[in-house]
């Protein structure tokens, strides 16, 4: 019998997260205070984020960090997630490659984001916070945070990117069902939002604008902390649960991946699945290839520049050393809302610089073509973001067909697309298009950030 999926029992779940910072040959450069250009410490970050998250953010020493009991308990509501061999997709592609995917879409919220929402809200509650705020693009993070806030008894206020609020209306309904207050960004409720709208009254919003508004709310409201669903090191740490489970599950399947692939917004699901395997490249001489699939319209990994830049549109965050297109970059309104972010996480940026991984660009139409084939073979409709990982996987599987190589490919299915059906309708009706951007556009945008360099 060909085994289709591999599942860990509750007593086999990891009890620690993996912190790749401890094993990196070149540590990430520190975040900087934009005014003084001095490195930022835990105390500087802790007026925005829960303190324990700040400690984790800057921890370059401890490779293993205990998952609090109370978080493990909530993880057991939906973990482990299955590792699945994609036999039907392999057959449709007629490839000798073995394709596996880690199915992070099986929790009812529909994406990997809950893996970090739970610990962030847990730590916030532990230190006496009553309110949490955040931004959300496609709404996946907002939905996860709204639920996690409720679980630990916190109030949540979510700024949702205006254009995706219109594209994916049910995500706001989900957040409200969990009890969160949801506002479209840019909004008139913050100084940052007012400034953005004064300059451009029809601004469609971006993760950058929504982050500015949420950070402003957190820093001007007592007992309110800001939480972020991607980009930061502590988020990738929490997401390592994905790769740690996958490592055990690949062992059950009797294979080890030659390639690990994930879609890339700020890097949390990529880091989550990749870093536990990358540890064996760093320490045990494994040679797995790591591929991050980004949209062609927001190509920070493949065409961005490694610079200190702000994490948000208004420039409220510390300066972060990252591959960026410039914090004022306005990405096209592609349907993979979670991938419309101008920069790459600090850890990933350093690893990319050190050639430990690489990025690929996927045009929007190719992503939906791949997602549709996946749906028709494996029976799961993927999130538009996850379609990018599938497209990159298909490219590699086709290469294997040409060369006859039997590579083992593992990709992360970061979420399902059941709330993204208007996007699939547009694709099926032929109403979607690609958004390639020119080198000049990228260069012009990057000029903006030169003034923040040391
Ligand atoms: C948010 C999101 C992403 C992108 O974020 P990363 O931090 O890069 O993982 C990808 N897929 C889904 C389903 C998401 O919700």
């Amino acid at each position: 019998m060909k085994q289709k999926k591999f599942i860990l029992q509750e007593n086999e779940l990891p009890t620690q997260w993996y912190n790749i910072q401890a094993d990196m040959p070149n540590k990430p450069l520190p975040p900087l205070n934009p005014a003084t250009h001095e490195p930022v410490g835990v105390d500087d970050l802790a007026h925005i984020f829960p303190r324990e998250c700040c400690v984790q953010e800057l921890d370059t020493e401890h490779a293993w960090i205990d998952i609090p009991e109370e978080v493990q308990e909530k993880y057991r509501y939906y973990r482990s997630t299955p590792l699945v061999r994609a036999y039907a997709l392999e057959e449709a592609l007629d490839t000798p490659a073995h394709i596996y995917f880690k199915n992070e879409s099986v929790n009812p919220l529909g994406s990997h984001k809950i893996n970090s929402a739970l610990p962030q809200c847990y730590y916030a509650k532990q230190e006496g916070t009553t309110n949490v705020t955040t931004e959300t693009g496609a709404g996946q993070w907002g939905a996860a945070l709204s639920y996690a806030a409720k679980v630990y008894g916190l109030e949540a206020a979510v700024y949702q990117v205006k254009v995706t609020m219109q594209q994916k209306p049910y995500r706001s309904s989900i957040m409200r069902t969990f009890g969160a207050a949801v506002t479209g960004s840019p909004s008139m409720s913050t100084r940052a939002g007012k400034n953005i709208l004064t300059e451009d009254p029809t601004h469609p919003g971006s993760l950058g604008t929504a982050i500015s508004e949420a950070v402003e709310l957190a820093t001007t409201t007592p007992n309110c902390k800001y939480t972020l669903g991607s980009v930061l090191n502590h988020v990738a740490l929490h997401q390592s649960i994905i790769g740690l489970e996958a490592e055990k599950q690949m062992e059950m399947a009797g294979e080890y991946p030659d390639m690990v692939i994930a879609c890339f917004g700020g890097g949390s699901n990529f880091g989550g699945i990749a870093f536990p395997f990358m540890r064996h490249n760093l320490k045990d001489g494994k040679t797995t290839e790591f591929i991050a699939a980004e949209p062609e319209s927001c190509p920070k990994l493949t065409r961005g520049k490694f610079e200190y830049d702000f994490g948000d549109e208004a420039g409220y965050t510390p300066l972060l050393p990252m591959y960026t297109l410039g914090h004022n970059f306005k990405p096209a309104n592609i349907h993979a809302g979670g991938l419309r972010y101008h920069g790459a996480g600090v850890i990933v940026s350093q690893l990319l610089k050190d050639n430990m991984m690489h990025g690929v660009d996927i045009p929007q139409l190719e992503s939906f073509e791949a997602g549709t084939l996946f749906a028709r073979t494996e029976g799961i409709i993927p999130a538009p973001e996850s379609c990018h990982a599938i497209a990159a996987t298909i490219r590699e599987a086709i290469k294997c067909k040409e060369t006859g190589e039997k590579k083992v490919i593992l990709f992360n299915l970061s979420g399902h697309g059941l709330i993204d059906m208007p996007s699939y309708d547009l694709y099926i009706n032929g109403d979607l298009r690609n958004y390639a951007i020119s080198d000049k556009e990228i260069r012009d945008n990057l000029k903006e950030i030169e003034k923040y360099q040391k």
Side-chain angles (χ1 to χ4, degrees):
M1 194 186 72
K2 296 195 295 186
Q3 191 164 343
K4 175 70 176 165
K5 55 190 186 305
F6 303 86
I7 293 172
L8 301 173
Q9 297 308 310
E10 289 183 12
N11 61 4
E12 299 171 302
L13 297 186
T15 56
Q16 293 182 309
W17 292 301
Y18 173 59
N19 175 23
I20 196 172
Q21 295 194 79
D23 292 332
M24 286 167 70
N26 297 313
K27 305 294 178 203
L29 299 174
L32 298 181
N33 178 315
T36 62
H37 280 265
E38 289 298 318
V40 159
V42 168
D43 287 338
D44 304 299
L45 294 173
H47 73 283
I48 307 177
F49 300 100
R51 175 168 287 271
E52 190 57 33
C53 295
C54 304
V55 171
Q56 294 173 349
E57 185 68 21
L58 300 176
D59 186 342
T60 55
E61 266 174 52
H62 305 95
W64 298 99
I65 292 174
D66 290 342
I67 305 174
E69 278 296 333
E70 293 84 345
V71 173
Q72 289 188 42
E73 182 200 330
K74 296 300 173 189
Y75 275 176
R76 287 197 291 271
Y77 279 45
Y78 64 97
R79 306 203 71 85
S80 67
T81 64
L83 176 83
V84 186
R85 173 89 183 262
Y87 288 112
L89 179 64
E90 287 173 19
E91 201 178 302
L93 296 170
D94 190 24
T95 175
H98 291 187
I99 302 175
Y100 292 84
F101 63 93
K102 179 74 168 153
N103 189 355
E104 286 297 308
S105 82
V106 293
N107 75 77
L109 287 158
S111 85
H112 66 289
K113 296 274 183 0
I114 185 69
N115 299 332
S116 185
L118 287 167
Q120 291 192 48
C121 287
Y122 169 75
Y123 291 129
K125 181 68 181 181
Q126 282 299 99
E127 62 183 60
T129 296
T130 54
N131 292 57
V132 283
T133 181
T134 196
E135 81 299 326
T136 193
Q140 298 270 28
W141 170 245
L145 185 87
S146 302
Y147 164 68
K150 201 44 90 184
V151 161
Y152 295 114
L154 300 164
E155 294 296 324
V158 180
Y159 286 95
Q160 183 172 16
V161 176
K162 215 179 257 171
V163 58
T164 47
M165 205 167 184
Q166 291 149 8
Q167 282 168 346
K168 301 165 200 283
Y170 289 126
R171 285 263 161 60
S172 323
S173 320
I174 293 175
M175 292 184 260
R176 290 202 188 95
T177 302
F178 286 122
V182 186
T183 310
S185 173
S187 79
M188 299 297 277
S189 72
T190 61
R191 188 164 53 82
K194 283 179 209 167
N195 289 345
I196 292 162
L197 286 172
T198 306
E199 235 177 66
D200 180 0
T202 61
H203 198 301
S206 66
L207 284 171
T209 68
I211 294 173
S212 299
E213 294 203 81
V215 169
E216 184 179 322
L217 187 72
T219 50
T220 55
T221 314
N223 292 320
C224 179
K225 284 289 160 74
Y226 170 67
T227 62
L228 189 55
S230 181
V231 184
L232 294 179
N233 305 342
H234 66 269
V235 186
L237 171 76
H238 305 152
Q239 294 296 352
S240 68
I241 188 87
I242 301 173
L244 293 168
E245 282 183 8
E247 205 185 327
K248 293 189 181 187
Q249 290 164 309
M250 288 298 302
E251 221 171 280
M252 290 163 77
E255 304 216 74
Y256 191 86
D258 298 305
M259 293 184 150
V260 175
I261 299 175
C263 66
F264 196 94
S268 79
N269 93 93
F270 172 80
I273 191 149
F275 294 168
F277 290 99
M278 204 180 277
R279 161 171 138 250
H280 299 299
N281 279 26
L282 290 167
K283 297 181 82 80
D284 313 322
K286 292 275 191 199
T287 55
T288 300
E289 197 179 329
F290 298 93
I291 303 176
E294 63 184 4
E296 169 193 55
S297 54
C298 196
K300 59 249 180 190
L301 297 173
T302 51
R303 295 166 72 194
K305 205 169 165 197
F306 186 85
E307 292 280 14
Y308 270 100
D309 193 11
F310 290 108
D312 69 318
E313 173 108 10
Y316 287 160
T317 69
L319 288 169
L320 301 171
M322 59 186 185
Y323 279 90
T324 180
L325 296 164
H327 64 275
N328 52 342
F329 181 73
K330 284 194 191 69
N333 295 338
I334 56 162
H335 287 258
L339 308 186
R340 295 172 74 246
Y341 183 68
H342 66 271
V346 168
I347 295 177
V348 162
S349 293
Q350 187 63 46
L351 293 169
L352 181 63
K353 206 158 171 255
D354 292 342
N355 291 318
M356 297 293 302
M357 55 168 288
H358 63 99
V360 288
D361 289 1
I362 308 288
Q364 174 158 267
L365 289 175
E366 184 183 341
S367 74
F368 275 95
E369 186 187 344
T372 305
L373 177 65
F374 184 76
R376 290 176 185 178
T377 49
E378 296 294 324
I380 301 169
I381 297 178
E385 291 85 358
S386 316
C387 290
H388 291 73
I390 299 170
T393 299
I394 290 176
R395 283 187 190 179
E396 294 300 331
I398 289 172
K399 276 188 217 159
C400 286
K401 182 181 174 180
E402 286 158 4
T403 61
E405 280 176 290
K406 254 196 198 160
K407 286 195 177 161
V408 176
I409 305 175
L410 167 64
F411 77 87
N412 193 41
L413 184 73
S414 53
H416 70 64
L418 292 176
I419 308 201
D420 305 290
M421 295 321 291
S423 310
Y424 277 90
D425 274 338
L426 290 170
Y427 171 67
I428 291 163
N429 294 339
D431 292 334
L432 285 190
R433 66 178 186 92
N434 290 332
Y435 295 91
I437 58 175
S438 68
D439 288 339
K440 180 171 182 317
E441 245 174 294
I442 293 179
R443 265 199 318 272
D444 287 351
N445 210 70
L446 282 169
K447 273 196 200 119
E448 268 297 301
I449 67 169
E450 276 167 18
K451 49 182 179 265
Y452 305 109
Q453 306 313 313
K454 267 205 243 198

